[in-house]
Amino acid sequence: MARGQMLAITWMNLQSLPARWGAALVAVVGIGGVVMVLTATLAMAQGFKAALDFAGAEDVAVVVRGGSSGELSSNLLGPEATVVADAPGILHDGAGPIASPELYVLVDLPMRVSGTAANVPFRGVGARGFAVRDHFRILAGRLFTPGLYELVIGRGALGQFRGLKLGGVVRFGNQNWRIVGVFEDGGSVTESELWSDLHVLQSTYRRGNSVQSVRVRLASPAAVAQVAAALKADARVNVSVASERAFYAEQSKALVAIVTILGTTISIMMGIGAIFGALNTMYSAVAARTREIATLRAVGFGAAPVVASVLVEAVLLGLAGGLLGGLAAFVAFDGIAASTLNFQTFSQLTFAFMVTPRVFVTGVCYAVLLGLLGGLLPGIQAARLPITAGLRST
Amino acid sequence: MDGPLVEVRGLTKEYRRGDEVVPVLAGLDLSIARGDYVALMGPSGSGKSTLLNLLGGLDQPTAGEIRIDGVSIGELGSNELAAWRARSVGFIFQMYNLLPVLTAEQNVELPLLLTSLSKPERLARARAALALVGLSDRARHRPRELSGGQEQRVGIARAIVTDPLLLLCDEPTGDLDRKAGDAVLDLFDALNREAGKTIVMVTHDPRAAARARRILHLEKGVLAREEG
């Protein structure tokens, strides 16, 4: 019977909403704004995560100089790269071990939006570079020709930096490079990069036969330990070995943490503001219906259904705000490409905002929670209102 | 059950205003028989509305006892009291207190939501109550589409739809013109004489009070005199 009472009162409350549309709209829009920020933040973190997840295969390992924090600070001489490629646990095909020595330099390009200079990773890869990347695909144009000053650009880089266009020419290392293709790599961080032939890049930047990293295809994901142990025991090299996924996770750990903490902090602070908006709405809703609530209680309705009905209305307003904010974030941000400086690698990381169903639902749940908190005190106030005073109110 | 419907013994009600204690009812005794029709009169502040609220279980006395149909309502918890109100009392207010978003029929149906009646049974009773007050043709109208007299008749239908023991009316004609007020008083007459309803009515209007079987005059929280 209490449920029936609650439904009856809630239904009446909701029917009176049009008369209080101004206050209700403030709450819905306030909560919607908070949810939009939260959803955008989560979508950004999701985009980071996706970029890193796609970049990180479990059956590919990245080998860099021991003690280096990433590819940029690493250096491996040609013979060292050969030792790495010969380690047990690396998958072989008809052409030998599947290992890709790679050079990694940073070049300057202006950001498309701000015009400020940004560090863009420029990677030199050999023929094996494609055998250690499952998602690499040329989207437009063609692959660079070994031995020529040609490069292909990631689709993330194409969207983020000025001066990059298919068929265009850019100048790096006192050489003119023709852009002959655009590639994708499953949305990974690799799409922020420019790629050219390893040997051409080595000679341009006078690196001899040294490289910065070697990517190897493992016989199995578990073989990473075997490779690491073998190379640790080999006195000719001093390297560290990590699966590609672990390598990228480590590379962006601080950035992801900062984005998540910052976004969550901002959302919580805005959420507190939105709770006040919801409180205001529900207090005014209770005030506007003081006499109605008192009449219902005089007729015999209990206090609990009155509290519950106020809470249900607040939750519904929160839900409306959550859906509004989530949809607004989806329309405004989903799929939008952005980039940020990863200060651990000193390079620009491009990613796409991803408003996934999980992100959307998280935002809506947050909105419902805000509504619930905003309705609690006014609901209790409504139930504790003296009936005789309420009956006299105008 | 034999004996009076309402028995009030030593009823005292005081309000606190800061450190000051304001006495409203001072040890009032009262007995109302079943089927009686009582008008409570008195100057403002004499305690008549407070008495009505206490009889209806809307407020708690400072001291004293109220027994209605043998039930000492001061001993009921808040949920029991709400359920008792739903079963035993019909309230009629000066300002009608109808819910503006509901139709006349839905307003009348409201107290029946607290019963175990099915939807068709509730509607049948609500329609019967509206027919009794002569408003069958206004069932689908909302309060703002009704005149003051019609609104009060909907209020009366809401009060009687659960067939309560006691009808408590607070200035029921106070906001109505003479013609509409007379129509409401005619209804009370019929409810009392034909349906045997016990009615307690607070009023300032001597013409309304004259319709009652007994007129009780309150002054300074005690019964000053009785007519009828």
Side-chain angles (χ1 to χ4, degrees):
Chain A
M1 186 160 318
R3 189 166 146 266
Q5 288 187 36
M6 190 197 78
L7 288 175
I9 303 178
T10 304
W11 181 65
M12 282 182 283
N13 286 357
L14 295 179
Q15 281 193 305
S16 70
L17 259 181
R20 300 177 281 115
W21 67 271
L25 196 65
V26 167
V28 170
V29 171
I31 291 174
V34 172
V35 170
M36 189 171 167
V37 171
L38 177 69
T39 305
T41 306
L42 293 175
M44 187 161 68
Q46 187 68 32
F48 276 146
K49 192 169 176 300
L52 297 170
D53 281 353
F54 276 121
E58 291 283 12
D59 62 347
V60 171
V62 180
V63 183
V64 293
R65 172 165 291 284
S68 57
S69 59
E71 287 183 280
L72 192 64
S73 55
S74 169
N75 185 49
L76 297 170
L77 298 173
E80 291 176 310
T82 306
V83 170
V84 169
D86 287 339
I90 295 173
L91 195 66
H92 285 61
D93 61 9
I98 303 176
S100 168
E102 297 179 0
L103 188 66
Y104 181 91
V105 298
L106 292 179
V107 293
D108 274 358
L109 276 175
M111 299 284 290
R112 192 175 288 278
V113 175
S114 63
T116 53
N119 290 331
V120 183
F122 191 2
R123 185 180 295 275
V125 296
R128 288 301 217 183
F130 311 103
V132 292
R133 289 180 176 85
D134 293 332
H135 303 290
F136 183 92
R137 192 167 70 91
I138 291 290
L139 283 178
R142 58 173 174 80
L143 198 59
F144 55 79
T145 308
L148 297 183
Y149 288 108
E150 291 182 347
L151 54 80
V152 291
I153 57 177
R155 62 176 173 179
L158 176 69
Q160 290 298 306
F161 306 113
R162 287 183 194 169
L164 296 181
K165 63 174 184 183
L166 188 58
V169 173
V170 284
R171 189 167 178 81
F172 300 128
N174 291 324
Q175 296 295 339
N176 289 328
W177 301 76
R178 180 165 299 281
I179 299 169
V180 296
V182 177
F183 69 87
E184 66 167 346
D185 189 29
S188 81
V189 287
T190 310
E191 293 184 2
S192 315
E193 299 177 351
L194 317 180
W195 281 19
S196 75
D197 176 48
L198 171 65
H199 299 301
V200 174
L201 197 62
Q202 281 173 328
S203 67
T204 303
Y205 284 90
R206 296 184 180 82
R207 298 293 178 92
N209 62 354
S210 71
V211 293
Q212 247 116 354
S213 62
V214 181
R215 272 178 164 70
V216 297
R217 170 77 70 186
L218 299 167
S220 72
V224 68
Q226 188 187 358
V227 173
L231 292 176
K232 189 176 180 185
D234 195 324
R236 293 172 294 174
V237 291
N238 170 26
V239 293
S240 62
V241 181
S243 77
E244 202 178 35
R245 179 163 298 191
F247 179 79
Y248 277 120
E250 184 63 31
Q251 291 289 292
S252 297
K253 197 164 66 179
L255 185 65
V256 169
I258 284 177
V259 167
T260 307
I261 291 169
L262 200 66
T264 307
T265 307
I266 291 170
S267 298
I268 289 173
M269 287 166 67
M270 286 185 70
I272 292 170
I275 287 174
F276 280 104
L279 270 174
N280 186 44
T281 303
M282 296 317 297
Y283 270 126
S284 66
V286 169
R289 294 200 309 277
T290 298
R291 199 163 75 167
E292 291 174 35
I293 290 169
T295 304
L296 288 167
R297 302 220 33 226
V299 165
F301 283 81
V306 170
V307 179
S309 72
V310 174
L311 283 180
V312 168
E313 181 182 329
V315 164
L316 289 176
L317 289 179
L319 185 66
L323 293 173
L324 182 76
L327 283 174
F330 180 79
V331 170
F333 296 113
D334 189 55
I336 296 280
S339 70
T340 187
L341 179 73
N342 185 348
F343 47 82
Q344 280 179 294
T345 60
F346 298 102
S347 62
Q348 208 69 18
L349 171 68
T350 63
F351 60 93
F353 282 74
M354 294 174 71
V355 183
T356 60
R358 187 189 173 92
V359 165
F360 187 87
V361 169
T362 304
V364 172
C365 288
Y366 188 55
V368 168
L369 180 69
L370 293 180
L372 197 63
L373 291 175
L376 196 59
L377 290 176
I380 291 171
Q381 188 207 36
R384 297 176 80 175
L385 194 77
I387 300 175
T388 49
L391 288 171
R392 283 194 301 271
S393 79
T394 52
Chain B
M1 189 181 287
D2 294 333
L5 180 68
V6 178
E7 285 179 281
V8 174
R9 293 287 170 263
L11 192 64
T12 300
K13 180 68 184 178
E14 294 169 345
Y15 290 106
R16 285 199 166 273
R17 195 179 296 150
D19 292 337
E20 188 187 2
V21 175
V22 181
V24 182
L25 293 175
L28 185 137
D29 294 328
L30 175 66
S31 185
I32 299 173
R34 289 168 200 279
D36 209 348
Y37 182 177
V38 177
L40 292 175
M41 297 193 77
S44 293
S46 60
K48 52 191 188 303
S49 287
T50 300
L51 175 60
L52 200 76
N53 289 336
L54 290 169
L55 291 178
L58 300 180
D59 204 353
Q60 296 291 326
T62 309
E65 186 187 25
I66 301 170
R67 294 185 82 84
I68 294 178
D69 199 29
V71 176
S72 177
I73 63 172
E75 292 170 10
L76 301 177
S78 70
N79 286 340
E80 291 171 310
L81 195 59
W84 173 83
R85 277 199 301 270
R87 276 195 315 274
S88 309
V89 186
F91 290 97
I92 295 157
F93 306 99
Q94 179 178 359
M95 300 306 296
Y96 331 125
N97 288 35
L98 301 179
L99 301 195
V101 295
L102 304 185
T103 63
E105 188 175 82
Q106 288 167 333
N107 266 288
V108 176
E109 185 196 356
L110 205 56
L112 298 176
L113 293 173
L114 300 166
T115 68
S116 56
L117 294 176
S118 66
K119 177 80 180 168
E121 288 172 321
R122 294 200 305 265
L123 280 181
R125 284 210 190 185
R127 284 170 188 159
L130 276 174
L132 200 68
V133 299
L135 284 178
S136 292
D137 57 336
R138 294 285 187 271
R140 300 294 166 88
H141 288 60
R142 291 181 202 282
R144 67 170 181 276
E145 296 160 344
L146 301 173
S147 69
Q150 288 171 330
E151 279 194 82
Q152 190 58 295
R153 280 150 66 193
V154 174
I156 294 169
R158 180 179 65 189
I160 62 173
V161 75
T162 54
D163 194 21
L165 293 167
L166 184 61
L167 286 178
L168 298 176
C169 318
D170 193 0
E171 300 277 8
T173 58
D175 204 49
L176 300 177
D177 60 30
R178 185 166 175 164
K179 188 179 167 197
D182 284 344
V184 165
L185 293 170
D186 290 344
L187 263 175
F188 287 164
D189 286 348
L191 285 169
N192 178 248
R193 292 182 206 290
E194 292 162 27
K197 289 288 163 206
T198 309
I199 301 173
V200 179
M201 173 175 64
V202 165
T203 183
H204 278 108
D205 180 2
R207 289 184 58 258
R211 300 284 196 108
R213 295 173 196 265
R214 293 165 70 193
I215 302 173
L216 305 179
H217 291 268
L218 269 73
E219 279 177 31
K220 295 181 179 173
V222 294
L223 274 178
R225 62 193 164 89
E226 179 175 347
E227 299 172 44

PDB file of all heavy atoms in Angstrom, chain A residues 264-279:
ATOM      1  N   THR A 264      38.137  14.067 -12.505  1.00  0.00           N
ATOM      2  CA  THR A 264      37.280  13.641 -11.401  1.00  0.00           C
ATOM      3  C   THR A 264      37.118  14.763 -10.383  1.00  0.00           C
ATOM      4  O   THR A 264      36.010  15.020  -9.897  1.00  0.00           O
ATOM      5  CB  THR A 264      37.886  12.389 -10.715  1.00  0.00           C
ATOM      6  OG1 THR A 264      38.125  11.409 -11.728  1.00  0.00           O
ATOM      7  CG2 THR A 264      36.965  11.821  -9.675  1.00  0.00           C
ATOM      8  N   THR A 265      38.231  15.460 -10.098  1.00  0.00           N
ATOM      9  CA  THR A 265      38.166  16.564  -9.134  1.00  0.00           C
ATOM     10  C   THR A 265      37.221  17.657  -9.626  1.00  0.00           C
ATOM     11  O   THR A 265      36.362  18.142  -8.882  1.00  0.00           O
ATOM     12  CB  THR A 265      39.571  17.152  -8.907  1.00  0.00           C
ATOM     13  OG1 THR A 265      40.446  16.095  -8.557  1.00  0.00           O
ATOM     14  CG2 THR A 265      39.560  18.191  -7.806  1.00  0.00           C
ATOM     15  N   ILE A 266      37.378  18.012 -10.899  1.00  0.00           N
ATOM     16  CA  ILE A 266      36.516  19.065 -11.463  1.00  0.00           C
ATOM     17  C   ILE A 266      35.058  18.612 -11.411  1.00  0.00           C
ATOM     18  O   ILE A 266      34.161  19.376 -11.034  1.00  0.00           O
ATOM     19  CB  ILE A 266      36.934  19.396 -12.911  1.00  0.00           C
ATOM     20  CG1 ILE A 266      38.289  20.102 -12.913  1.00  0.00           C
ATOM     21  CG2 ILE A 266      35.882  20.267 -13.595  1.00  0.00           C
ATOM     22  CD1 ILE A 266      38.903  20.270 -14.285  1.00  0.00           C
ATOM     23  N   SER A 267      34.822  17.355 -11.757  1.00  0.00           N
ATOM     24  CA  SER A 267      33.441  16.854 -11.777  1.00  0.00           C
ATOM     25  C   SER A 267      32.838  16.847 -10.378  1.00  0.00           C
ATOM     26  O   SER A 267      31.663  17.168 -10.199  1.00  0.00           O
ATOM     27  CB  SER A 267      33.405  15.436 -12.352  1.00  0.00           C
ATOM     28  OG  SER A 267      33.858  15.464 -13.672  1.00  0.00           O
ATOM     29  N   ILE A 268      33.641  16.479  -9.391  1.00  0.00           N
ATOM     30  CA  ILE A 268      33.119  16.454  -8.017  1.00  0.00           C
ATOM     31  C   ILE A 268      32.782  17.879  -7.568  1.00  0.00           C
ATOM     32  O   ILE A 268      31.716  18.142  -7.000  1.00  0.00           O
ATOM     33  CB  ILE A 268      34.135  15.803  -7.060  1.00  0.00           C
ATOM     34  CG1 ILE A 268      34.199  14.293  -7.328  1.00  0.00           C
ATOM     35  CG2 ILE A 268      33.775  16.060  -5.593  1.00  0.00           C
ATOM     36  CD1 ILE A 268      35.280  13.567  -6.580  1.00  0.00           C
ATOM     37  N   MET A 269      33.689  18.830  -7.882  1.00  0.00           N
ATOM     38  CA  MET A 269      33.430  20.222  -7.467  1.00  0.00           C
ATOM     39  C   MET A 269      32.191  20.770  -8.165  1.00  0.00           C
ATOM     40  O   MET A 269      31.338  21.414  -7.540  1.00  0.00           O
ATOM     41  CB  MET A 269      34.655  21.090  -7.773  1.00  0.00           C
ATOM     42  CG  MET A 269      35.807  20.812  -6.815  1.00  0.00           C
ATOM     43  SD  MET A 269      37.368  21.495  -7.383  1.00  0.00           S
ATOM     44  CE  MET A 269      37.035  23.220  -7.265  1.00  0.00           C
ATOM     45  N   MET A 270      32.083  20.502  -9.471  1.00  0.00           N
ATOM     46  CA  MET A 270      30.891  20.959 -10.188  1.00  0.00           C
ATOM     47  C   MET A 270      29.655  20.238  -9.663  1.00  0.00           C
ATOM     48  O   MET A 270      28.568  20.804  -9.599  1.00  0.00           O
ATOM     49  CB  MET A 270      31.040  20.706 -11.683  1.00  0.00           C
ATOM     50  CG  MET A 270      31.991  21.666 -12.358  1.00  0.00           C
ATOM     51  SD  MET A 270      32.017  21.418 -14.127  1.00  0.00           S
ATOM     52  CE  MET A 270      30.399  22.030 -14.595  1.00  0.00           C
ATOM     53  N   GLY A 271      29.847  18.981  -9.297  1.00  0.00           N
ATOM     54  CA  GLY A 271      28.739  18.189  -8.767  1.00  0.00           C
ATOM     55  C   GLY A 271      28.168  18.793  -7.501  1.00  0.00           C
ATOM     56  O   GLY A 271      26.957  18.811  -7.307  1.00  0.00           O
ATOM     57  N   ILE A 272      29.053  19.323  -6.669  1.00  0.00           N
ATOM     58  CA  ILE A 272      28.587  19.957  -5.426  1.00  0.00           C
ATOM     59  C   ILE A 272      27.705  21.156  -5.782  1.00  0.00           C
ATOM     60  O   ILE A 272      26.635  21.359  -5.209  1.00  0.00           O
ATOM     61  CB  ILE A 272      29.784  20.372  -4.549  1.00  0.00           C
ATOM     62  CG1 ILE A 272      30.481  19.107  -4.028  1.00  0.00           C
ATOM     63  CG2 ILE A 272      29.335  21.252  -3.384  1.00  0.00           C
ATOM     64  CD1 ILE A 272      31.811  19.357  -3.352  1.00  0.00           C
ATOM     65  N   GLY A 273      28.150  21.913  -6.788  1.00  0.00           N
ATOM     66  CA  GLY A 273      27.341  23.045  -7.249  1.00  0.00           C
ATOM     67  C   GLY A 273      25.987  22.576  -7.769  1.00  0.00           C
ATOM     68  O   GLY A 273      24.950  23.170  -7.467  1.00  0.00           O
ATOM     69  N   ALA A 274      26.013  21.475  -8.516  1.00  0.00           N
ATOM     70  CA  ALA A 274      24.762  20.973  -9.097  1.00  0.00           C
ATOM     71  C   ALA A 274      23.815  20.461  -8.016  1.00  0.00           C
ATOM     72  O   ALA A 274      22.600  20.564  -8.157  1.00  0.00           O
ATOM     73  CB  ALA A 274      25.063  19.857 -10.094  1.00  0.00           C
ATOM     74  N   ILE A 275      24.386  19.929  -6.940  1.00  0.00           N
ATOM     75  CA  ILE A 275      23.532  19.458  -5.836  1.00  0.00           C
ATOM     76  C   ILE A 275      22.752  20.642  -5.257  1.00  0.00           C
ATOM     77  O   ILE A 275      21.568  20.535  -4.956  1.00  0.00           O
ATOM     78  CB  ILE A 275      24.378  18.769  -4.737  1.00  0.00           C
ATOM     79  CG1 ILE A 275      24.844  17.410  -5.245  1.00  0.00           C
ATOM     80  CG2 ILE A 275      23.584  18.601  -3.439  1.00  0.00           C
ATOM     81  CD1 ILE A 275      25.801  16.696  -4.317  1.00  0.00           C
ATOM     82  N   PHE A 276      23.440  21.794  -5.153  1.00  0.00           N
ATOM     83  CA  PHE A 276      22.736  22.979  -4.648  1.00  0.00           C
ATOM     84  C   PHE A 276      21.604  23.379  -5.593  1.00  0.00           C
ATOM     85  O   PHE A 276      20.540  23.799  -5.152  1.00  0.00           O
ATOM     86  CB  PHE A 276      23.712  24.138  -4.432  1.00  0.00           C
ATOM     87  CG  PHE A 276      24.482  24.006  -3.143  1.00  0.00           C
ATOM     88  CD1 PHE A 276      25.798  23.603  -3.144  1.00  0.00           C
ATOM     89  CD2 PHE A 276      23.872  24.257  -1.926  1.00  0.00           C
ATOM     90  CE1 PHE A 276      26.505  23.459  -1.966  1.00  0.00           C
ATOM     91  CE2 PHE A 276      24.554  24.108  -0.736  1.00  0.00           C
ATOM     92  CZ  PHE A 276      25.877  23.712  -0.751  1.00  0.00           C
ATOM     93  N   GLY A 277      21.862  23.238  -6.897  1.00  0.00           N
ATOM     94  CA  GLY A 277      20.808  23.522  -7.879  1.00  0.00           C
ATOM     95  C   GLY A 277      19.619  22.599  -7.674  1.00  0.00           C
ATOM     96  O   GLY A 277      18.463  23.026  -7.648  1.00  0.00           O
ATOM     97  N   ALA A 278      19.922  21.308  -7.490  1.00  0.00           N
ATOM     98  CA  ALA A 278      18.849  20.328  -7.278  1.00  0.00           C
ATOM     99  C   ALA A 278      18.138  20.588  -5.954  1.00  0.00           C
ATOM    100  O   ALA A 278      16.904  20.516  -5.872  1.00  0.00           O
ATOM    101  CB  ALA A 278      19.431  18.918  -7.314  1.00  0.00           C
ATOM    102  N   LEU A 279      18.934  20.934  -4.925  1.00  0.00           N
ATOM    103  CA  LEU A 279      18.344  21.254  -3.619  1.00  0.00           C
ATOM    104  C   LEU A 279      17.360  22.406  -3.752  1.00  0.00           C
ATOM    105  O   LEU A 279      16.232  22.347  -3.248  1.00  0.00           O
ATOM    106  CB  LEU A 279      19.445  21.676  -2.637  1.00  0.00           C
ATOM    107  CG  LEU A 279      20.114  20.594  -1.794  1.00  0.00           C
ATOM    108  CD1 LEU A 279      21.260  21.205  -1.009  1.00  0.00           C
ATOM    109  CD2 LEU A 279      19.125  19.955  -0.847  1.00  0.00           C
TER     110      LEU A 279
END
